[in-house]
């Protein structure tokens, strides 16, 4: 008999954990496992600020899927459409060709993209921090601004080059601003008096009344004090009104001359979810507590793209889109798929919060492991320990520790690699948010029949 086909969409936290758990829980004869991902690595998103600041290398935070998964077939591409009526996904391979893959069980873990708003100039000029390429681009871009400013004869242009704006006071925005501010402060010493550290201005902006409200008032306030002590300006209750190539206008009327706007104001579910015609909760795919999708037999969803009910809370709460939840949901989806294949009962996803960690660089950090509030070096030890535990391979852990030690002892050379030079830097180009098609288009491409490629 033909083995049941389990198709996993996305190689992020949820998708990889699901595939790993299926490999461990099923014998090869019980199912054929396939994972579709445009990259052949699992990106560890929480360490992207470290990459942008040159503290770690790309290989350290992007462990190979072929090291992690030994029995799963990897298809290099992205799912751009799903026909759940005929159990077919359309995949655009990295060659640009499209193929159709059939499935018996589909696990939707396409992740998320940077959330944007209808702000004039935002999508044309803002830089994101969601992919490996974006982090590498931002590093080159920031160092380029220093290089240009160091030889700039116009004081106004120099000031604009040395002014950096980060929008988003969550974990990603705060850590990104903190790490890049440390990068530019250290780099200023290499410019032989052409750039003084106090000429470099960093602004962290968020519409919320305080940074990282999930941490609680005390730790959120402490995190703000730590970055302000370094000279960073924090503006709360403020957002962006418009953006041009060399200015950012805020809703309080201020106009900041700058050539760098880093946008980290939250995430939205992958646009793939919007093509399914299924029920959503604030853009995320509505699922049952066991991670199955209503009215779509054999379809499961978890991670950032799914609104998973948080049954540990009341009032219809859903789990937040964090790496911690995505990893656990991926494992639980695998457990329920195995149960389904074996005719057993599925169980609801339930979690216990392990806490939160925020790494601000150096010895600065705030953490709340298992409800205990920590600040400074103890918090940093917990934060980095958590990151090492979450990395999926021993090789990635060793590289990351080596990078941390080397950066702490030898510093950085602030080299622009040029890997991303000459390419468009919009969020759409980096995150490919405009490639998806509807189920009708999938059926049209598939000729209305079920085929396996």
């Amino acid at each position: 008999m033909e083995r049941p086909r389990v198709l996993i969409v996305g190689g992020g936290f949820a998708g990889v954990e699901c595939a790993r758990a299926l490999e461990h829980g099923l014998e090869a004869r019980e199912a054929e496992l396939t994972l579709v991902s445009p990259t052949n690595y699992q990106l560890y998103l929480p360490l992207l600020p470290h990459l942008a600041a040159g503290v770690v290398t790309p290989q350290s935070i992007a462990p190979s899927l072929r090291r992690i998964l030994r029995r799963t077939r990897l298809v290099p591409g992205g799912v751009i459409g799903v026909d759940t009526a005929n159990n077919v996904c359309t995949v655009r391979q990295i060659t640009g060709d499209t193929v159709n893959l059939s499935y018996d069980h589909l696990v939707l873990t396409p992740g998320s993209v940077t959330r944007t708003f209808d702000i004039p100039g935002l999508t044309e000029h803002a830089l994101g921090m969601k992919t490996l390429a974006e982090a590498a681009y931002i590093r080159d871009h920031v160092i380029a601004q220093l290089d240009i400013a160091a030889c700039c004869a116009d004081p106004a242009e120099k000031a604009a080059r040395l002014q950096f704006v980060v929008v988003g006071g969550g974990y990603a925005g705060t850590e990104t601003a903190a790490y890049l501010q440390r990068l530019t402060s250290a780099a200023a010493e290499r410019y032989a008096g052409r750039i003084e550290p106090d000429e470099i201005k960093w602004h962290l902006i968020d519409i919320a009344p305080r940074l990282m409200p999930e941490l609680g008032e005390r730790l959120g306030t402490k995190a703000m004090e730590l970055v302000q002590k370094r000279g960073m300006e924090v503006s709360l209750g403020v957002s962006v009104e418009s953006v041009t190539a060399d200015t950012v206008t805020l809703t309080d009327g201020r106009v900041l001359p700058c050539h760098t706007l880093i946008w980290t104001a939250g995430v939205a579910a992958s646009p793939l979810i919007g093509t399914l015609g299924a029920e959503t909760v604030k853009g995320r795919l509505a699922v049952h507590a066991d991670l199955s999708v209503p009215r779509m037999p054999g379809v499961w969803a978890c991670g950032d793209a799914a609104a998973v009910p948080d049954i540990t809370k009341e009032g219809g709460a859903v789990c937040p889109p964090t790496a911690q939840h995505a990893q656990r949901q991926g494992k639980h989806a695998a457990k329920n798929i195995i149960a389904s294949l074996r005719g057993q009962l599925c169980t609801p996803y339930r979690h216990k919060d392990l806490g939160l960690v925020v790494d601000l660089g150096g010895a600065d950090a705030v953490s709340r492991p298992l409800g205990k509030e920590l600040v400074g070096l103890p918090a940093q030890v917990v934060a980095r320990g958590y990151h090492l535990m979450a990395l999926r391979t021993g090789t990635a852990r060793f590289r990351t520790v080596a990078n941390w030690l080397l950066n702490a002892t030898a510093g950085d050379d602030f080299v622009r690699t040029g890997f991303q030079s000459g390419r468009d830097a919009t969020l759409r180009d980096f995150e490919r948010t405009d490639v998806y098609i509807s189920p009708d288009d999938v059926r049209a491409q598939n000729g209305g029949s079920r085929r396996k490629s």
Side-chain angles (χ1 to χ4, degrees):
M1 294 179 63
E2 185 175 317
R3 293 179 296 170
R5 294 157 296 193
V6 180
L7 178 60
I8 302 169
V9 178
F13 291 112
V16 171
E17 288 303 319
C18 181
R20 287 181 77 247
L22 288 171
E23 285 189 350
H24 294 156
L26 292 172
E27 296 182 15
R29 61 179 175 78
E30 290 186 273
E32 175 185 317
L33 308 179
T34 301
L35 186 145
V36 181
S37 173
T39 62
N40 65 351
Y41 56 80
Q42 181 196 36
L43 177 60
Y44 187 68
L45 281 163
L47 290 183
L48 275 183
H50 294 225
L51 174 63
V55 175
V56 301
T57 60
Q59 294 91 336
S60 303
I61 65 170
S64 166
L65 289 179
R66 299 189 186 280
R67 275 188 185 270
I68 302 171
L69 304 174
R70 300 305 175 92
R71 206 171 77 228
T72 301
R73 175 193 177 199
L74 301 179
V75 177
V79 170
I80 60 173
V82 182
D83 177 7
T84 56
N86 292 302
N87 290 26
V88 174
C89 289
T90 294
V91 178
R92 178 168 292 168
Q93 296 178 306
I94 59 175
T95 60
D97 299 326
T98 59
V99 296
N100 295 308
L101 300 180
S102 297
Y103 63 84
D104 297 294
H105 286 270
L106 175 66
V107 186
L108 292 170
T109 64
S112 57
V113 296
T114 301
R115 181 181 61 181
T116 58
F117 301 95
D118 188 18
I119 297 172
L122 179 65
T123 56
E124 293 82 6
H125 302 294
L127 304 175
M129 180 62 87
K130 198 75 174 64
T131 68
L132 207 61
E134 285 176 314
Y137 185 96
I138 284 176
R139 173 175 169 80
D140 273 12
H141 173 83
V142 168
I143 296 173
Q145 302 315 300
L146 301 181
D147 287 346
I148 295 169
C151 61
C152 186
D154 181 358
E157 182 181 354
K158 180 180 181 181
R161 296 285 180 185
L162 296 179
Q163 185 147 238
F164 304 90
V165 178
V166 179
V167 179
Y171 306 109
T174 304
E175 291 185 337
T176 296
Y179 264 87
L180 289 174
Q181 193 268 344
R182 283 176 56 86
L183 167 74
T184 56
S185 295
E189 299 177 4
R190 304 284 183 89
Y191 285 88
R194 293 183 177 273
I195 297 177
E196 299 298 329
D198 60 3
E199 293 182 288
I200 303 172
K201 309 294 184 184
W202 280 90
H203 297 256
L204 180 59
I205 295 168
D206 196 274
I207 193 66
R210 65 173 184 260
L211 294 184
M212 297 173 289
E214 300 89 344
L215 281 174
E217 185 172 356
R218 177 179 175 271
L219 288 184
T221 300
K222 187 60 180 179
M224 185 167 70
E225 290 174 353
L226 288 171
V227 296
Q228 286 177 324
K229 187 176 179 180
R230 300 179 189 173
M232 186 181 302
E233 182 174 342
V234 179
S235 297
L236 300 176
V238 177
S239 188
V240 173
E241 185 174 282
S242 63
V243 188
T244 69
D246 55 9
T247 63
V248 175
T249 301
L250 305 182
T251 52
D252 62 6
R254 282 181 291 168
V255 179
L256 304 178
C258 78
H259 293 261
T260 308
L261 172 65
I262 302 174
W263 184 265
T264 63
V267 297
S270 165
L272 176 66
I273 300 304
T275 70
L276 300 176
E279 180 185 353
T280 59
V281 178
K282 295 183 178 179
R284 299 164 70 189
L285 185 62
V287 299
H288 294 304
D290 65 357
L291 306 179
S292 62
V293 179
R295 295 178 294 281
M296 291 185 179
V299 181
W300 312 78
C302 50
D304 288 5
V308 178
D310 187 346
I311 62 175
T312 67
K313 298 179 181 178
E314 299 178 352
V318 298
C319 298
T322 65
Q324 187 180 134
H325 279 291
Q327 288 178 314
R328 295 178 183 183
Q329 289 167 9
K331 292 179 183 178
H332 199 83
K335 177 183 176 181
N336 281 343
I337 290 170
I338 293 171
S340 179
L341 290 172
R342 294 173 177 173
Q344 301 168 352
L345 293 177
C346 295
T347 58
Y349 170 73
R350 184 186 298 272
H351 72 95
K352 181 180 179 182
D353 188 11
L354 294 179
L356 304 165
V357 297
V358 180
D359 180 352
L360 301 174
D364 292 337
V366 294
S367 300
R368 197 182 65 201
L370 301 176
K372 184 176 178 60
E373 295 187 348
L374 300 174
V375 175
L377 187 58
Q380 185 65 285
V381 171
V382 170
R384 296 203 170 183
Y386 172 81
H387 292 319
L388 289 177
M389 181 179 66
L391 284 167
R392 267 292 149 244
T393 69
T395 302
R397 295 186 189 109
F398 179 83
R399 282 179 173 151
T400 299
V401 170
N403 288 164
W404 283 339
L405 292 174
L406 183 62
N407 185 265
T409 55
D412 193 347
D413 285 330
F414 313 109
V415 173
R416 286 183 286 113
T417 63
F419 293 153
Q420 302 292 335
S421 62
R423 69 163 292 172
D424 291 332
T426 65
L427 298 172
R428 181 180 63 251
D429 292 309
F430 273 121
E431 300 183 26
R432 300 183 62 80
T433 57
D434 57 351
V435 298
Y436 299 95
I437 61 177
S438 69
D440 289 340
D441 292 329
V442 176
R443 282 190 285 273
Q445 289 194 17
N446 197 33
S449 64
R450 292 184 61 179
R451 288 189 317 201
K452 179 187 172 186
S453 299

